[in-house]
Amino acid sequence: MDIDVKLSKIEPKIKEPSFLENKGLSNEVGYYIFDYDPKYELKVRDEVSRIKNKINNSSYPFSIEEFDLYEIIIDILDEKGYLEKVFDFEEKKGIKFTTKAIINLLKLNSENNLIVNYILDRVYDDCVVFLTGVGKAYPILRSHNVLNNLHQKLDEVPVVLFFPGKYSGRDLVLFNTIEGSNYYRAFPLIPR
């Protein structure tokens, strides 16, 4: 599907009553993935911003809460006083070691995932959650990890992950090349 056509379908979709009632197929929790060719990253960012501004500056019965996963990582590292240390760490120890250290610091593989907690602390009724910044957060953060942890704790509002890659309805392939773990709980926001 042409990217402009696909992008034009986001706004009508999120305004549908079934979407806003947070019902996916079979009345499951509404988690959605908008996948796109990574070469359209800037176009997708612009459209997300346009939709968010339009919805949030109007009288719609909901608002959009956008969470840029990369910006969350930076905020948490800065808040904990580790941001400058991470730069030094990377220079001295390398990217692989630093990535592991950040993953441990953010507790990304635990019940107390700091990114998930960050999002949960800022979500409220009558909002739609947009998760962005997936490509910028790689290799520290894997989107399926966030979705799995978030899915266990957040089921009151619809969540849309903007994914620079392919989602088959089962597999997430970041940048159309990096195979991820299977993720079965989300629905394509705009079916092919």
Side-chain angles (χ1 to χ4, degrees):
M1 181 182 305
D2 175 75
I3 188 64
D4 292 319
V5 171
K6 191 171 181 179
L7 288 169
S8 73
K9 294 182 178 201
I10 297 171
E11 187 178 336
K13 176 67 176 180
I14 66 171
K15 291 178 181 176
E16 290 176 1
S18 63
F19 180 88
L20 295 172
E21 291 168 4
N22 198 24
K23 301 296 183 198
L25 301 174
S26 307
N27 288 328
E28 291 183 19
V29 172
Y31 274 69
Y32 301 86
I33 295 177
F34 182 87
D35 64 344
Y36 55 93
D37 191 311
K39 70 183 179 185
Y40 296 120
E41 177 68 28
L42 297 179
K43 190 175 265 209
V44 172
R45 283 186 202 173
D46 287 346
E47 184 61 8
V48 165
S49 180
R50 186 197 70 75
I51 292 169
K52 183 175 81 171
N53 288 332
K54 181 179 178 183
I55 297 292
N56 291 353
N57 293 311
S58 68
S59 59
Y60 289 103
F62 67 96
S63 62
I64 294 174
E65 217 31 63
E66 180 183 1
F67 296 97
D68 182 312
L69 298 173
Y70 176 78
E71 293 298 328
I72 293 173
I73 292 170
I74 299 299
D75 285 352
I76 293 171
L77 291 174
D78 191 39
E79 180 184 298
K80 293 192 169 291
Y82 287 112
L83 189 57
E84 291 302 319
K85 292 175 187 173
V86 165
F87 298 136
D88 294 336
F89 214 53
E90 181 180 355
E91 191 174 303
K92 293 175 184 167
K93 299 279 189 171
I95 188 67
K96 285 186 179 182
F97 191 85
T98 304
T99 297
K100 258 187 171 172
I102 294 170
I103 288 169
N104 290 335
L105 176 73
L106 297 176
K107 302 176 183 176
L108 295 183
N109 297 318
S110 81
E111 289 279 323
N112 196 22
N113 183 316
L114 296 184
I115 292 176
V116 169
N117 291 342
Y118 182 101
I119 294 168
L120 291 173
D121 289 345
R122 290 159 179 81
V123 169
Y124 48 88
D125 293 340
D126 301 324
C127 79
V128 173
V129 171
F130 279 7
L131 298 176
T132 60
V134 170
K136 296 186 293 184
Y138 178 81
I140 295 168
L141 185 65
R142 296 298 187 104
S143 51
H144 72 272
N145 183 291
V146 171
L147 289 177
N148 282 327
N149 286 299
L150 199 56
H151 193 268
Q152 294 172 12
K153 297 181 179 183
L154 179 64
D155 62 1
E156 298 87 33
V157 298
V159 175
V160 179
L161 175 75
F162 289 85
F163 187 77
K166 295 178 188 167
Y167 179 57
S168 68
R170 189 181 79 225
D171 301 311
L172 290 164
V173 182
L174 186 62
F175 306 131
N176 297 333
T177 59
I178 301 169
E179 299 279 335
S181 294
N182 292 343
Y183 186 76
Y184 300 101
R185 296 181 185 143
F187 308 103
L189 181 67
I190 309 300
R192 291 193 167 97

